[in-house]
Structures are given as C-alpha cells and as structure tokens.
Amino acid sequence: MLQLSGRHLPDPDAHYGPFPQPPLGAGHLSVEYAPRPFVVREARAEVRRQLESWGIAERGEVADVAELLVGELVTNVLVHAASGFRLTLFAAHGVLRCEVTDAERRVPRVLEAGAGENGRGMFLVDALAQRWGCHRDGSGKTVWFELGTCGADGCGRRQP
C-alpha cells in the first residue's frame, strides 16, 4: 500500500547536518511492505519505476546501484528483523536518498567481503554509496544511503 509522508527525518551524523526537505515538486515516495520472500524483487522494481518516472534512471548507473543497494537493505530486513518495513525515496538537490525502516533496533555492521556466503550487503552499501548511515527510531531503525543523481563528479556531495 502506498503511503506518502512528508515528515522531516533527522540525520544522525551531526558532521553532515540534517538532510534538507525536498523542495516542492521534488521526488518523494514512501511505501510499506510486509515481510514476504518476493518483496526484495518488488522493492527493487519500485525503485526502478520511481527513478524512471523522475527522469533519474537515465543518469549513469544511479538506478542500477540504487536497485542493488535497496535489495541488500531489504534482504537484511528479511534475514535479521523478520518484520514489515518502509521504503522511502527522496530525490532533490542532486541527491537520491533511499531509506529502509524496520522494527529491529540492532544496527548493521560492515563486514569484510571474505569467502563466506553472506554478510556482504553493508560492504556493498559502504563501497557504492556516497554516504550512508543508520539511526534508531522508537522501537526500530532506519538505514539510509545517498547517491548523486546529476552524473558529475561531486554531484550531490555535501561540502565539509
């Protein structure tokens, strides 16, 4: 079920300051999902549809990377939280921000990409996103990442 929300979400990393609200007309979508095995595919497809409708999918590899990383975050929810979750996308100011909110309070950790069969999801997020983070929300948490959307070096990056 599609539910739009315009609430301000705090950025837990004070070094970067709060994430700005998207300006009027910028892309914003929030969708809730139940914990079902095929929901990873659904969430990736929703990301692709939205980025295409916002005209972002044609800009470099943004859509491919966003799909991959959302798939990793959603898989983490299914494996570790076994709860429903909310996928939220913001596109504004040369930045795509993807957030996944679930009912598990444990924060994800980046593991080295060794020879094991799993544990690489956050390694990929850390390697491919311009920045990412996690903050606890009441009884759960939100894991987010950001990608530049304008195809230029430094696009969407915040100045220190």
Side-chain angles (χ1 to χ4, degrees), residues 72-123:
E72 294 298 333
L73 295 185
V74 170
T75 298
N76 282 351
V77 171
L78 295 178
V79 170
H80 301 291
S83 72
F85 66 93
R86 177 185 297 267
L87 169 65
T88 304
L89 306 175
F90 298 99
H93 311 294
V95 174
L96 170 67
R97 182 174 173 117
C98 302
E99 301 179 345
V100 175
T101 302
D102 63 47
E104 172 63 51
R105 289 201 40 90
R106 280 182 298 163
V107 298
R109 295 181 307 135
V110 177
L111 303 175
E112 289 299 319
E117 291 185 23
N118 56 25
R120 292 183 180 89
M122 294 311 298
F123 179 84

Side-chain angles (χ1 to χ4, degrees), residues 4 70 119 151 159:
L4 297 178
V70 164
Q159 301 303 315

Side-chain angles (χ1 to χ4, degrees), residues 9 16 18 48 52 56 77 85 102 118 124 140 144:
L9 297 174
Y16 292 104
R48 174 67 63 170
E52 286 174 353
I56 296 173
V77 171
F85 66 93
D102 63 47
N118 56 25
L124 290 172
W144 56 268

Side-chain angles (χ1 to χ4, degrees), residues 26-158:
H28 179 233
L29 171 80
S30 189
V31 183
E32 290 188 17
Y33 294 92
R36 300 179 311 254
F38 54 87
V39 78
V40 175
R41 182 179 64 236
E42 287 178 4
R44 286 192 311 244
E46 186 63 44
V47 168
R48 174 67 63 170
R49 269 192 304 275
Q50 282 306 139
L51 297 186
E52 286 174 353
S53 74
W54 293 337
I56 296 173
E58 302 83 32
R59 298 181 186 175
E61 300 173 345
V62 173
D64 294 336
V65 173
E67 276 186 87
L68 172 67
L69 299 185
V70 164
E72 294 298 333
L73 295 185
V74 170
T75 298
N76 282 351
V77 171
L78 295 178
V79 170
H80 301 291
S83 72
F85 66 93
R86 177 185 297 267
L87 169 65
T88 304
L89 306 175
F90 298 99
H93 311 294
V95 174
L96 170 67
R97 182 174 173 117
C98 302
E99 301 179 345
V100 175
T101 302
D102 63 47
E104 172 63 51
R105 289 201 40 90
R106 280 182 298 163
V107 298
R109 295 181 307 135
V110 177
L111 303 175
E112 289 299 319
E117 291 185 23
N118 56 25
R120 292 183 180 89
M122 294 311 298
F123 179 84
L124 290 172
V125 172
D126 190 57
L128 298 174
Q130 286 186 338
R131 41 184 226 121
W132 72 274
C134 177
H135 61 276
R136 292 186 172 127
D137 300 326
S139 64
K141 70 175 176 311
T142 298
V143 181
W144 56 268
F145 66 86
E146 293 177 351
L147 302 171
T149 61
C150 64
D153 284 341
C155 172
R157 294 184 190 211
R158 296 182 189 221

